[in-house]
Coordinates of all heavy atoms in Angstrom, one line a residue:
A1 N -69.9 9.3 -24.1 CA -69.8 8.0 -24.7 C -70.0 8.1 -26.2 O -69.3 7.4 -27.0 CB -70.9 7.1 -24.1
S2 N -70.9 8.9 -26.7 CA -71.1 9.1 -28.1 C -69.8 9.7 -28.8 O -69.4 9.2 -29.9 CB -72.3 10.0 -28.4 OG -73.5 9.5 -28.0
L3 N -69.2 10.7 -28.1 CA -68.0 11.2 -28.7 C -66.8 10.2 -28.7 O -66.1 10.1 -29.7 CB -67.5 12.4 -27.9 CG -68.2 13.7 -28.3 CD1 -67.7 14.9 -27.4 CD2 -67.9 14.1 -29.8
L4 N -66.7 9.4 -27.7 CA -65.7 8.4 -27.6 C -65.9 7.3 -28.7 O -65.0 6.9 -29.4 CB -65.7 7.7 -26.2 CG -64.7 6.6 -26.0 CD1 -63.2 7.2 -26.2 CD2 -64.8 6.0 -24.7
R5 N -67.2 6.9 -28.9 CA -67.5 6.0 -30.0 C -67.1 6.6 -31.4 O -66.6 5.9 -32.2 CB -69.0 5.6 -30.0 CG -69.4 4.5 -29.1 CD -70.8 3.9 -29.4 NE -71.8 4.9 -29.6 CZ -72.5 5.5 -28.6 NH1 -72.2 5.2 -27.3 NH2 -73.4 6.4 -28.8
C6 N -67.4 7.8 -31.6 CA -67.1 8.5 -32.8 C -65.5 8.5 -33.0 O -65.0 8.2 -34.1 CB -67.6 9.9 -32.8 SG -67.3 10.8 -34.4
K7 N -64.8 8.9 -32.0 CA -63.4 8.9 -32.0 C -62.8 7.5 -32.3 O -61.9 7.4 -33.2 CB -62.8 9.4 -30.7 CG -61.3 9.6 -30.7 CD -60.9 10.1 -29.3 CE -59.4 10.3 -29.3 NZ -59.0 10.9 -28.0
E8 N -63.3 6.5 -31.6 CA -62.8 5.1 -31.9 C -63.2 4.7 -33.3 O -62.4 4.0 -33.9 CB -63.4 4.2 -30.8 CG -62.8 4.4 -29.4 CD -61.3 4.2 -29.4 OE1 -60.9 3.1 -29.9 OE2 -60.6 5.0 -28.9
W9 N -64.3 5.0 -33.8 CA -64.7 4.6 -35.1 C -63.8 5.3 -36.1 O -63.3 4.6 -37.0 CB -66.2 5.0 -35.4 CG -66.5 4.6 -36.8 CD1 -67.0 3.4 -37.2 CD2 -66.4 5.4 -38.0 NE1 -67.2 3.4 -38.6 CE2 -66.9 4.7 -39.1 CE3 -66.0 6.7 -38.2 CZ2 -66.9 5.1 -40.4 CZ3 -66.0 7.2 -39.5 CH2 -66.5 6.4 -40.6
M10 N -63.4 6.5 -35.9 CA -62.5 7.2 -36.8 C -61.1 6.5 -36.8 O -60.5 6.3 -37.8 CB -62.3 8.7 -36.4 CG -63.5 9.5 -36.8 SD -63.1 11.3 -36.4 CE -64.7 12.0 -36.7
R11 N -60.7 6.2 -35.6 CA -59.4 5.5 -35.5 C -59.4 4.2 -36.2 O -58.4 3.8 -36.9 CB -59.0 5.3 -34.0 CG -57.6 4.8 -33.7 CD -57.4 4.4 -32.3 NE -58.3 3.5 -31.7 CZ -58.2 2.2 -31.9 NH1 -57.3 1.6 -32.7 NH2 -59.1 1.4 -31.4
R12 N -60.4 3.4 -36.0 CA -60.5 2.0 -36.6 C -60.7 2.1 -38.1 O -60.3 1.2 -38.8 CB -61.6 1.2 -36.0 CG -61.4 0.7 -34.6 CD -62.4 -0.3 -34.2 NE -63.8 0.1 -34.5 CZ -64.6 0.8 -33.7 NH1 -64.2 1.3 -32.6 NH2 -65.8 1.1 -34.1
N13 N -61.2 3.2 -38.6 CA -61.5 3.3 -40.1 C -60.7 4.3 -40.8 O -61.1 4.8 -41.8 CB -63.0 3.6 -40.2 CG -63.9 2.4 -39.8 OD1 -64.1 1.5 -40.6 ND2 -64.4 2.5 -38.6
R14 N -59.5 4.6 -40.2 CA -58.7 5.7 -40.8 C -58.2 5.4 -42.2 O -57.8 6.2 -42.9 CB -57.6 6.1 -39.9 CG -56.6 5.0 -39.6 CD -55.6 5.5 -38.6 NE -54.9 4.3 -38.0 CZ -54.6 4.1 -36.8 NH1 -55.0 5.0 -35.9 NH2 -54.0 3.1 -36.4
N15 N -58.2 4.1 -42.5 CA -57.6 3.7 -43.8 C -58.7 3.5 -44.9 O -58.4 3.2 -46.0 CB -56.9 2.4 -43.7 CG -55.6 2.5 -42.8 OD1 -55.0 3.6 -42.9 ND2 -55.3 1.5 -42.0
V16 N -60.0 3.8 -44.5 CA -61.1 3.8 -45.5 C -60.9 5.0 -46.4 O -60.5 6.0 -45.9 CB -62.4 3.8 -44.7 CG1 -63.6 4.0 -45.7 CG2 -62.6 2.6 -43.9
P17 N -61.2 4.8 -47.7 CA -61.1 6.0 -48.6 C -61.9 7.1 -48.1 O -63.0 6.9 -47.5 CB -61.6 5.5 -49.9 CG -61.4 4.0 -49.9 CD -61.5 3.6 -48.4
T18 N -61.4 8.3 -48.2 CA -62.0 9.5 -47.6 C -63.5 9.7 -48.0 O -64.3 10.0 -47.1 CB -61.2 10.8 -47.9 OG1 -59.8 10.6 -47.5 CG2 -61.7 12.0 -47.2
K19 N -63.8 9.5 -49.3 CA -65.2 9.7 -49.7 C -66.1 8.8 -49.0 O -67.2 9.2 -48.5 CB -65.3 9.5 -51.2 CG -66.6 9.9 -51.8 CD -66.5 9.9 -53.3 CE -67.8 10.3 -53.9 NZ -67.8 10.4 -55.4
Q20 N -65.7 7.5 -48.9 CA -66.6 6.5 -48.2 C -66.6 6.8 -46.7 O -67.7 6.8 -46.0 CB -66.0 5.1 -48.4 CG -66.8 4.0 -47.8 CD -66.2 2.7 -48.0 OE1 -65.2 2.5 -48.7 NE2 -66.8 1.7 -47.3
F21 N -65.5 7.2 -46.1 CA -65.4 7.6 -44.7 C -66.3 8.7 -44.4 O -67.1 8.7 -43.4 CB -63.9 8.0 -44.4 CG -63.6 8.4 -43.0 CD1 -63.2 7.4 -42.1 CD2 -63.8 9.7 -42.6 CE1 -63.0 7.8 -40.8 CE2 -63.5 10.0 -41.3 CZ -63.1 9.1 -40.4
M22 N -66.3 9.8 -45.2 CA -67.2 10.9 -45.0 C -68.6 10.6 -45.1 O -69.5 11.1 -44.3 CB -66.8 12.0 -46.0 CG -65.4 12.6 -45.8 SD -65.1 13.3 -44.2 CE -65.9 14.9 -44.5
K23 N -69.0 9.7 -46.0 CA -70.4 9.3 -46.2 C -70.9 8.6 -44.9 O -72.0 8.8 -44.4 CB -70.5 8.4 -47.4 CG -71.9 8.0 -47.7 CD -72.0 7.2 -49.0 CE -73.4 6.8 -49.3 NZ -73.5 6.0 -50.5
I24 N -70.1 7.7 -44.4 CA -70.5 6.9 -43.2 C -70.5 7.8 -42.0 O -71.4 7.7 -41.2 CB -69.5 5.7 -43.0 CG1 -69.6 4.7 -44.1 CG2 -69.8 5.0 -41.7 CD1 -68.5 3.7 -44.1

């Protein structure tokens, strides 16, 4: 479930600037 949440979060936030994405 944790991996699925991580994957879904990445998919939903793929347009966030990389620096901000990496920090989150």
Side-chain angles (χ1 to χ4, degrees):
S2 293
L3 276 178
L4 182 60
R5 274 194 315 275
C6 183
K7 182 179 180 178
E8 288 300 312
W9 180 85
M10 286 184 188
R11 186 186 59 76
R12 285 191 317 273
N13 291 278
R14 62 181 166 228
N15 295 324
V16 171
T18 303
K19 189 173 183 177
Q20 181 183 355
F21 180 91
M22 296 297 281
K23 184 177 180 179
I24 297 168

